[in-house]
């Protein structure tokens, strides 16, 4: 355990603790012949005690003035949470209007006057993370190149700030879903397996995956035993994930249907949630709750704790003793 | 006079009252400076030039900027808020809105460590536009935030001097500092692959030597590509100074850690905020004085200390 002072120069007052040794501050009485008085052991003891109490009071006050604190320390905690990597599509297509909404909001083309798919996505992720405070989250943003924003952490302030950041401005250029997925799976590389790993893909899926990329994604998903959830954000005029159309047609007008088909065939737990469904978020949270959670170990930091109030408390108790002693002092010989 | 009514006893009583009162959390409202920044890292390719150094080891401009930023994270006072963004193309991409530094130190530090040129989304570096748009971004924040933009000032493609990007925002609405990183001598820019391995340097014919408008004109009129030195890169200090002046920012050439900290904590970078300031220490100090005074008080000169009775 480490202790420190917020304002160390307060220690300059510490020599005052010697004052009770030099000055007793007690009421003195004239006596005709001191030499005739026998030494009184009890008086010496009381005198000594009063001085020690006064010294201790000075020291307690000086440490209180200096702002004594116990330094922040890192402790290992055991939690029950899942490890979730949020993989957020930040391509230009996510800037277009989200499928639901009134004619006024979804037809507007001026950025900032409508709710884009990306903003809906970030709102959902923020809500999801807020409802699972025991989980660890990482955030990956992908566009042309994947951008690892935040590695696994349980700190909600950091998670929420990272989710909020990308929603303020427009998204970036292109989409490379494959590389984004592969790089985000690498977050699990050196992490111990705890029973529940989730990749939460939030995308409109307007991307195609080549066969070698599909193979690598399938391998990594199986290797790291990841459950895959896809929050699908339908564009205004997209047919959605579940229409029956031929692969050729789908690759032309709705490539997300092919991506959906590929994910469903990877052999790992996979669910797609349509963000249009108001219950999607609740369903996803219920699904994650069902996963077998092994305890996970993680480092938690206990922030610095101010101990000056305790110093003042000790000083107050000691001062009360001194005051009591003072009140018993004799004014004159009776 | 009764014992408790004598001055020493009254002083001790006063000290007790003051100490007890300190538990009522006495405070005064003071105006204090707090710090809130968004650090923007230029991750364009010219930042891969290794023409700066910390100590003896040569570093790339980006590594040097990251290193100084890490040191600043360690030195800034708790309560400061830091956000991070990347710049390439013509805009900054915000990765993290400002969060409290000490509580989130490992996250912020980890993010700075991972900043890499490979996160790029566009192979251009239009710095003026990037600075202007970053200022607009920060102006939209709920709380006032200072911009710290770390760049070498190398515009690619070069700017047409007749149609410079103009700052449309309000000068000085968002304060901050443009931080110049790099050496004064023009040197080649390394060509790196996705693994970070170098494959030679960018050559004169690989890059645009003039802006795209003039390049098109040259091609139309059969003049051939213009010659130039745009494939070499140095810190464009005069250019960044001009940009800083145009936007009401400060300019600093990144050098020592101490210099960077001075720029970050300059009076103009502080954000005044009324803050309840703890004054328990004042109560305790007065109590301490009371105790000392009560000890110093001597009522009778003729009696030696050792014989007094409690």
């Amino acid at each position: 355990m480490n202790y420190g002072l917020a304002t160390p120069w307060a220690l300059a007052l510490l020599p005052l603790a010697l004052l009770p040794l030099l000055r007793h501050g007690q009421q003195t009485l004239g006596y005709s012949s001191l030499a005739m008085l026998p030494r009184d052991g009890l008086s010496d003891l009381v005198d000594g005690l009063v001085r020690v109490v006064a010294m201790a009071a000075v020291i307690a006050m000086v440490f209180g003035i200096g702002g004594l604190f116990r330094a922040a320390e890192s402790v290992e905690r055991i939690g029950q949470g899942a490890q979730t990597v949020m993989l957020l599509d930040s391509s230009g297509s996510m800037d277009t209007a989200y499928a639901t909404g009134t004619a006024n909001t979804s037809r507007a083309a001026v950025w900032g006057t409508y709710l884009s798919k990306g903003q809906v996505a970030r709102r959902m992720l923020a809500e999801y993370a807020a409802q699972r405070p025991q989980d660890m989250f990482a955030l990956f943003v992908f566009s042309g190149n994947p951008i690892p924003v935040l590695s696994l952490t349980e700190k909600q302030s950091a998670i929420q700030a990272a989710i909020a950041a990308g929603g303020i401005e427009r998204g970036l250029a292109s989409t490379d879903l494959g590389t984004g997925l592969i790089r985000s799976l690498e977050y699990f590389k050196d992490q111990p397996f705890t029973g529940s790993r989730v990749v939460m893909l939030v995308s409109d899926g307007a991307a195609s995956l080549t066969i070698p990329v599909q193979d690598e994604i399938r391998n990594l998903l199986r290797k790291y035993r990841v459950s895959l959830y896809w929050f699908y954000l339908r564009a205004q005029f997209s047919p959605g994930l579940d229409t029956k159309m031929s692969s050729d047609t789908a690759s032309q007008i709705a490539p997300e249907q092919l991506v959906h088909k590929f994910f469903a065939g990877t052999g790992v737990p996979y669910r797609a949630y349509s963000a249009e469904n108001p219950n999607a978020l609740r369903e996803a949270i219920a699904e994650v709750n069902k996963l077998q959670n092994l305890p996970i170990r993680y480092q938690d930091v206990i922030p610095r704790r101010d101990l000056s109030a305790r110093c003042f408390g000790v000083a107050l108790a000691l001062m009360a003793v001194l005051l009591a002693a003072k009140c018993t002092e004799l004014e004159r010989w009776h | 006079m009764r014992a408790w009514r004598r001055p020493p006893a009254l002083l001790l009583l006063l000290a007790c009252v003051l100490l007890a009162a300190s538990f009522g959390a006495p405070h005064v409202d003071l105006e204090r400076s707090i710090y809130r920044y968004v650090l923007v890292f230029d991750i364009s390719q010219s930042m891969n030039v290794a023409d700066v150094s910390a100590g003896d080891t040569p570093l790339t401009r980006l590594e040097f900027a990251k290193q100084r930023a890490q040191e600043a994270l360690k030195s800034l006072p708790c309560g400061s808020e830091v956000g991070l963004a990347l710049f390439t193309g013509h805009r900054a991409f915000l990765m993290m809105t400002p969060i409290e530094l000490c509580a989130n130190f490992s996250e912020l530090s980890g993010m700075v460590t991972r900043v890499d040129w490979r996160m790029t989304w566009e192979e251009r570096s239009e710095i003026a536009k990037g600075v202007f748009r970053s200022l607009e971004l920060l102006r939209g924040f709920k709380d006032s935030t200072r911009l710290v933009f770390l760049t070498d000032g190398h515009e690619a493609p070069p700017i047409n001097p007749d149609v410079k990007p103009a700052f449309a925002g309000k000068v000085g609405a968002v304060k901050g500092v443009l931080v110049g990183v790099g050496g004064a001598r023009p040197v080649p820019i390394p060509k790196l692959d996705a693994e970070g391995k170098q494959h030679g340097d960018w050559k004169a014919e690989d890059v645009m030597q003039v802006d795209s408008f003039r390049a098109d004109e040259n091609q139309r009129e059969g003049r051939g590509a213009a010659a130039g030195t745009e494939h070499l890169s140095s810190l464009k200090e005069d250019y960044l100074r001009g940009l800083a002046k145009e936007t009401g920012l400060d300019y600093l050439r990144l050098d020592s850690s101490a210099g960077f900290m001075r720029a970050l904590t300059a009076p103009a970078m502080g954000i005044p905020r009324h803050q309840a300031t703890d004054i328990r220490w004042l109560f305790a100090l007065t109590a301490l004085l009371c105790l000392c005074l009560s000890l110093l008080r001597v009522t009778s000169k003729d009696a030696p200390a050792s014989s007094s009775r409690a």
Side-chain angles (χ1 to χ4, degrees), chain A residues 23-28 34 145 149 151 153 155 157 161-162 170-172 306 308-309 312 316 319 323 327 329 331, chain B residues 1 3 6 9 15-16 23 91 97 99 103-104 107 111 114 118 120 280 284 295-296 298 300 304-305 307-308:
Chain A
R23 300 296 196 107
H24 54 80
Q26 291 156 18
Q27 182 70 30
T28 54
L34 269 178
N145 283 308
V149 172
S151 56
T153 176
K155 279 183 206 142
S157 56
R170 281 174 166 277
L172 302 170
D306 180 34
S308 52
F312 295 143
L316 178 59
M319 291 299 285
L323 182 61
C327 290
E329 275 176 8
E331 185 77 10
Chain B
M1 201 158 48
R6 283 196 308 270
C16 287
F23 286 89
R91 59 168 284 188
T97 55
I99 50 173
N104 300 292
E107 281 73 17
M111 285 174 81
R114 284 191 300 276
R118 276 169 289 189
T120 183
R280 286 180 306 171
L295 291 173
L296 287 176
V298 177
S300 168
S307 67
S308 67

Side-chain angles (χ1 to χ4, degrees), chain A residues 25-101:
Chain A
Q26 291 156 18
Q27 182 70 30
T28 54
L29 295 173
Y31 190 71
S32 52
S33 174
L34 269 178
M36 277 180 63
L37 281 179
R39 272 205 87 76
D40 180 3
L42 185 63
S43 291
D44 287 344
L45 182 69
V46 171
D47 176 55
L49 277 179
V50 168
R51 286 165 193 258
V52 168
V53 168
M55 288 172 75
V58 173
I59 292 169
M61 279 187 266
V62 169
F63 277 104
I65 292 167
L68 184 71
F69 64 84
R70 179 189 281 175
E73 52 190 330
S74 156
V75 291
E76 195 177 74
R77 290 200 193 279
I78 296 189
Q80 278 286 340
Q83 294 174 329
T84 303
V85 173
M86 300 184 287
L87 178 58
L88 184 53
D89 187 342
S90 195
S91 62
S93 63
M94 293 289 280
D95 288 341
T96 57
Y98 176 56
T100 57

Side-chain angles (χ1 to χ4, degrees), chain A residues 179-192:
Chain A
T179 319
L181 202 45
I182 290 165
R183 288 285 306 279
S184 68
L185 285 167
E186 283 165 3
Y187 265 168
F188 293 119
K189 200 171 175 182
D190 301 315
Q191 296 280 342

Side-chain angles (χ1 to χ4, degrees), chain A residues 304-324:
Chain A
R304 152 207 283 219
R305 265 169 300 175
D306 180 34
L307 299 178
S308 52
R310 287 195 203 177
C311 295
F312 295 143
V314 169
L316 178 59
L318 295 170
M319 291 299 285
V321 171
L322 286 183
L323 182 61

